[in-house]
């Protein structure tokens, strides 16, 4: 594990804002991960600007907050930025087309204001529908895109960590639709800049003074670094040492778990005060 004092020297400016992934960093399924409670408490108690970013497409922000609170993490809905809520702003800002939603009812609660169309949509917005994925669903989406609908995906994740191990994510279906239709999907969630830029805007933070802590080398660390944000990889969730060793992405730090955030920020406290 890279020491915090070494990590600090890899960042260009003192950290002023923190972005934290949820699944695989604070929890895996219904299991709270080491350091999660203390790290969240430290961010809140010290009033450090922060947001929790997630590609999760099966729960609304309200449902996510309720779930995290049941795990013992007092995180409010306003502190969560998920892919559906970012998609709502993106779709509105790009013409607010009549859209066909591929996601469950709860996640649709974060898409208020986007006109819904089932037969002749101008766009399809893909999230996760779990076991409902089938050839019929994919072929229907194929037909809609071939007929002119924009292809928008909440994310393009390869896999995610569950209590049963790594599981295939929706990126495989999005890639298949891109291949079959010849249309490149508009991606909202990590590693797309859309979610990171939305977070920076909410926090009024500069990318160079912000870090993201995540368990996905590509979507979290690589995506953050591409936007100028420091990318910290934790060795929980979907972390695999082999993936790190075989990747061209080099995190700004590798931590055992989210608990390492506390000594890291404590070491920076004197520097941060100069910017307050």
């Amino acid at each position: 594990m890279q020491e915090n004092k070494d990590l600090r020297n890899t960042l260009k400016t003192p950290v002023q804002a923190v972005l934290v992934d949820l699944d695989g960093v604070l929890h895996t399924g219904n299991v709270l991960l080491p350091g999660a409670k203390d790290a969240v408490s430290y961010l809140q108690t010290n009033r450090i600007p922060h947001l929790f970013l997630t590609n999760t497409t099966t729960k609304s922000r309200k449902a996510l907050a309720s779930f995290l609170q049941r795990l013992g993490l007092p995180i409010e809905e306003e502190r969560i930025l998920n892919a559906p809520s970012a998609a709502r702003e993106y779709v509105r800002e790009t013409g607010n087309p009549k859209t066909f939603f591929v996601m469950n009812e709860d996640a649709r609660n974060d898409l208020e204001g986007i006109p819904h169309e089932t037969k002749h949509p101008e766009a399809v917005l893909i999230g996760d529908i779990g076991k409902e994925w089938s050839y019929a669903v994919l072929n229907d989406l194929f037909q809609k895109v071939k007929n002119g609908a924009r292809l928008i995906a909440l994310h393009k994740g390869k896999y995610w960590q569950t209590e049963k191990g790594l599981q295939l994510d929706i990126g495989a279906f999005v890639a298949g639709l891109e291949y079959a239709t010849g249309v490149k999907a508009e991606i909202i969630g990590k590693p797309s800049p859309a979610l990171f830029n939305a977070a920076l805007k909410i926090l009024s933070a500069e990318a160079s003074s912000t870090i993201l802590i995540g368990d996905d080398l590509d979507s979290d660390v690589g995506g953050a670094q591409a936007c100028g944000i420091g990318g910290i990889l934790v060795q929980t969730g979907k972390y695999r040492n082999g993936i790190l060793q075989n990747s061209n992405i080099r995190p700004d730090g590798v931590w055992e778990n989210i608990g390492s955030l506390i000594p890291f920020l404590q070491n920076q406290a004197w520097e941060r005060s100069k910017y307050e």
Side-chain angles (χ1 to χ4, degrees), residues 46-260:
N46 291 276
R47 300 180 181 179
I48 297 168
H50 65 280
L51 282 177
F52 299 95
L53 267 61
T54 177
N55 275 352
T56 299
T57 67
T58 57
K59 294 185 178 73
S60 64
R61 293 167 67 220
K62 182 177 180 179
L64 281 168
S66 178
F67 168 73
L68 293 168
Q69 289 163 16
R70 289 196 301 273
L71 289 182
L73 300 174
I75 296 173
E76 299 299 324
E77 178 181 347
E78 293 73 21
R79 284 291 177 184
I80 299 172
L81 179 61
N82 64 349
S85 59
R88 177 187 59 201
E89 300 308 315
Y90 175 83
V91 171
R92 283 176 168 178
E93 292 172 359
T94 56
N96 207 28
K98 297 177 182 178
T99 303
F100 180 68
F101 303 137
V102 186
M103 62 192 72
N104 65 26
E105 289 297 327
D106 185 62
R108 293 185 191 185
N109 290 327
D110 288 334
L111 298 172
E112 182 179 356
I114 299 177
H116 186 215
E117 170 63 38
T118 58
K119 292 185 178 180
H120 304 289
E122 298 169 315
V124 297
L125 181 57
I126 300 176
D128 194 6
I129 53 175
K131 295 181 180 179
E132 299 301 315
W133 285 107
S134 66
Y135 172 79
V137 169
L138 289 168
N139 193 52
D140 181 56
L141 295 174
F142 167 76
Q143 298 294 339
K144 286 178 167 58
V145 174
K146 290 299 286 183
N147 286 332
R150 291 164 56 188
L151 178 59
I152 308 174
L154 293 184
H155 67 84
K156 199 177 177 182
K158 298 176 182 178
Y159 46 79
W160 60 296
Q161 178 69 30
T162 72
E163 294 168 341
K164 297 180 180 179
L166 295 179
Q167 302 290 319
L168 186 70
D169 214 333
I170 66 173
F173 304 124
V174 176
L177 288 167
E178 287 180 318
Y179 173 73
T181 62
V183 174
K184 185 174 179 59
E186 302 166 48
I187 309 297
I188 305 299
K190 300 173 291 184
S192 168
L195 196 65
F196 296 107
N197 290 336
L200 293 174
K201 182 178 180 181
I202 291 170
L203 293 177
S204 298
E206 295 293 331
S208 61
S209 59
T210 302
I211 59 170
L212 177 133
I213 302 113
D215 66 319
D216 188 307
L217 185 61
D218 295 316
S219 293
D220 293 332
V221 175
Q225 290 178 334
C227 294
I229 298 169
I232 313 301
L233 184 67
V234 289
Q235 296 174 315
T236 53
K238 66 177 69 170
Y239 170 86
R240 299 293 187 275
N241 185 60
I243 295 175
L244 176 60
Q245 296 302 320
N246 294 319
S247 175
N248 291 326
I249 298 173
R250 290 293 174 260
D252 293 289
V254 179
W255 294 349
E256 183 177 359
N257 57 55
I258 185 65
S260 295

